[in-house]
Amino acid sequence: MEPIIEFFQLLSSFLWGWPMIILLLGTHIFLTFRLRIPQRKLLTGIRLSIKKDPGASGDVSQFGALATALAATIGTGNIVGVATAVALGGPGAVLWCWLTGIFGMATKYAEGLLAVKYRVHDKDGHTYGGPMYALERGLGMKWLAILFAVFTALASFGIGCTVQANSIALLASETFGIPTWIVGLFVCGLAACVILGGVKAIARVCTVFVPFMALLYVVGCIVILCLNGAYVWPAIQLIVNAAFNPEAAGGGFVGATVMMAARYGIARGLFSNESGMGSAPIVAAAAQTRNPVRQALVSSTGTFWDTVVICALTGIVLVSSIIAYPDITYADGAALTKVAFSKIPYVGAPLLTFGILTFAFSTILGWSYYGESAVNYIERRKSNRFYRILYIVALFFGSIINLDIIWNIADCMNALMTIPNLIALLLLSGVAAQETKKYLWSNRLDDEMQEY
């Protein structure tokens, strides 16, 4: 297995190297200006996300689609991933992560718009969409659409399934002493209750579950910031200064460089919010919305909540804790996170554990729909009970086996599904701009669309 593991490690490092980072960030910036800075309409997107669109076609509400996308997006990367970026790139990585989220909102907007623009409906009224339909119907590239679907299906069993189950099982075992196989069975049973019900069941659960878990985590972060009150502003100053002069952080960060801060911050932001990866538009296409721009605005708020709010809060918590408690070790991202949250008396450690467990489980739910949609596109089916059962079984095996090679394969699949999606976004950016002008900048957000 060693040669195979080494191969996927090298492939993952290559695929997620500077060329991919530059391509993704460049797409974010290009679409921001091509679409006339849709980030300006953030408050409109938030308002639309909590409103129903009566009479509009689709399988789930706009908020249900957003909650499902956030379920898959908000994960352990928002907690441990940010800490790892700080440990490797210094406090300045937090600013680069935040900026990636700001620009990434435009890409998530374009993904949601194209997903609704090119979605299809079957004779029973069910709705299907995502990058594969945009590639096929918008660009006539069915072969590339199939490739995207294959990479997405494979990625779902990695980053969305086995990896998350393994994180839950190991954390429960280390914290509570529960055998991993028992945790695996519990996760399988809990996931089956939701996943077997299809997208409507997943959306119903996520609509309640995601706001609760995110709010609880945000409250925990705010409590830590209150405890570190005297160090919050110095932490923000340090984050800004270290983004362009990492040695300003001093201590163990002296060896850091601007390139390291940018690389780890941008990479964490890109990987956390999944803007440009092509996953979130799969569920955005199922939203009940009267035109593509309404759902595009709602989709863009997902990147705002995930990166601009949650990742930024996590970063400020970690950096303020480093300043407040100089004895904290920052060489290990996971250890840094545990020490920071342990400063909340009595409930800090349980809150962190609960956050990681719930974030990982929510990712399992969201990615199950992504993977099934990809398989159904290839097979031209409207539902796939076999996939759901296979996904649930994979959760158990993910809980009990070593996943070193799975991590790297999952990273590779995520990168490979990103490339076709970026091709669709860039080549169809004119369509996105035209739709944006038609509905958003002409103040016609309430108009009904004509289905493609």
Side-chain angles (χ1 to χ4, degrees):
M1 291 291 291
E2 284 299 322
I4 298 176
I5 293 175
E6 188 174 326
F7 168 77
F8 279 106
Q9 285 176 337
L10 291 172
L11 182 60
S12 175
S13 297
F14 170 74
L15 290 172
W16 283 109
W18 274 110
M20 177 64 80
I21 290 175
I22 292 171
L23 180 60
L24 270 167
L25 186 58
T27 301
H28 292 351
I29 296 172
F30 169 74
L31 289 173
T32 292
F33 293 101
R34 182 76 171 87
L35 303 175
R36 295 174 52 189
I37 315 179
Q39 293 93 328
R40 289 182 288 164
K41 295 294 184 177
L42 171 64
L43 294 180
T44 301
I46 294 174
R47 176 176 58 82
L48 290 174
S49 71
I50 57 176
K51 290 178 62 178
K52 291 186 177 181
D53 213 346
S57 60
D59 293 336
V60 297
S61 67
Q62 288 182 307
F63 184 72
L66 174 64
T68 304
L70 281 173
T73 304
I74 298 178
T76 53
N78 295 81
I79 304 176
V80 179
V82 174
T84 302
V86 171
L88 296 174
V94 177
L95 179 64
W96 290 107
C97 178
W98 186 80
L99 288 173
T100 301
I102 291 291
F103 285 107
M105 289 172 61
T107 299
K108 190 64 72 72
Y109 169 93
E111 288 181 308
L113 189 156
L114 294 176
V116 176
K117 171 72 175 177
Y118 293 109
R119 68 184 182 181
V120 298
H121 305 281
D122 66 15
K123 61 182 180 180
D124 298 320
H126 297 294
T127 307
Y128 311 95
M132 49 278 201
Y133 292 90
L135 284 164
E136 178 185 347
R137 307 184 77 210
L139 294 173
M141 296 182 176
K142 186 173 181 179
W143 63 274
L144 195 56
I146 292 175
L147 277 181
F148 172 85
V150 170
F151 295 142
T152 302
L154 292 174
S156 72
F157 283 103
I159 196 66
C161 178
T162 53
V163 166
Q164 304 301 327
N166 191 259
S167 298
I168 293 173
L170 289 179
L171 182 61
S173 178
E174 293 172 1
T175 307
F176 307 111
I178 306 173
T180 54
W181 67 271
I182 293 180
V183 178
L185 288 175
F186 178 76
V187 171
C188 286
L190 205 58
C193 292
V194 182
I195 292 172
L196 292 177
V199 64
K200 292 185 178 180
I202 294 172
R204 279 197 302 268
V205 171
C206 290
T207 297
V208 177
F209 184 58
V210 171
F212 171 73
M213 73 173 192
L215 180 62
L216 192 62
Y217 177 74
V218 168
V219 169
C221 287
I222 292 174
V223 170
I224 297 177
L225 293 178
C226 290
L227 294 174
N228 297 347
Y231 305 98
V232 172
W233 181 244
I236 294 173
Q237 290 179 310
L238 180 58
I239 287 170
V240 175
N241 291 333
F244 306 100
N245 180 24
E247 293 192 5
F253 297 113
V254 171
T257 65
V258 173
M259 294 295 284
M260 289 172 63
R263 177 185 176 184
Y264 290 110
I266 293 172
R268 176 41 49 205
L270 294 172
F271 204 73
S272 173
N273 59 54
E274 297 183 9
S275 294
M277 194 178 293
S279 49
I282 294 175
V283 70
Q288 296 165 345
T289 183
R290 68 185 71 178
N291 63 60
V293 170
R294 290 173 72 93
Q295 181 55 35
L297 289 169
V298 172
S299 293
S300 70
T301 66
T303 297
F304 171 77
W305 295 121
D306 175 89
T307 306
V308 180
V309 175
I310 295 180
C311 284
L313 271 177
T314 302
I316 297 172
V317 162
L318 296 172
V319 177
S320 65
S321 296
I322 290 173
I323 299 175
Y325 311 102
D327 58 318
I328 287 183
T329 175
Y330 39 75
D332 184 320
L336 172 59
T337 309
K338 289 179 182 178
V339 173
F341 273 81
S342 68
K343 300 304 178 181
I344 305 180
Y346 307 112
V347 300
L351 176 63
L352 176 61
T353 300
F354 177 79
I356 294 175
L357 291 175
T358 53
F359 282 13
F361 184 73
S362 72
T363 301
I364 288 171
L365 298 182
W367 269 92
S368 70
Y369 178 69
Y370 295 162
E372 182 180 352
S373 298
V375 172
N376 289 346
Y377 173 79
I378 297 170
E379 297 184 348
R380 295 298 181 181
R381 299 176 63 175
K382 63 181 181 180
S383 65
N384 198 319
R385 186 166 291 269
F386 175 76
Y387 171 87
R388 297 175 192 176
I389 294 172
L390 187 62
Y391 190 89
I392 293 166
V393 171
L395 287 173
F396 176 75
F397 286 102
S399 303
I400 62 175
I401 61 175
N402 185 292
L403 290 181
D404 287 344
I405 189 172
I406 301 298
W407 269 104
N408 289 298
I409 293 176
D411 282 349
C412 293
M413 292 303 107
N414 285 336
L416 290 172
M417 63 185 283
T418 299
I419 295 171
N421 181 57
L422 291 180
I423 291 173
L425 285 172
L426 293 173
L427 295 182
L428 293 172
S429 61
V431 175
Q434 183 180 12
E435 294 290 306
T436 300
K437 180 180 179 181
K438 176 181 177 181
Y439 292 106
L440 185 58
W441 304 124
S442 299
N443 295 317
R444 296 171 57 189
L445 274 178
D446 292 332
D447 285 8
E448 296 281 347
M449 71 173 173
Q450 185 175 0
E451 293 283 354
Y452 180 85

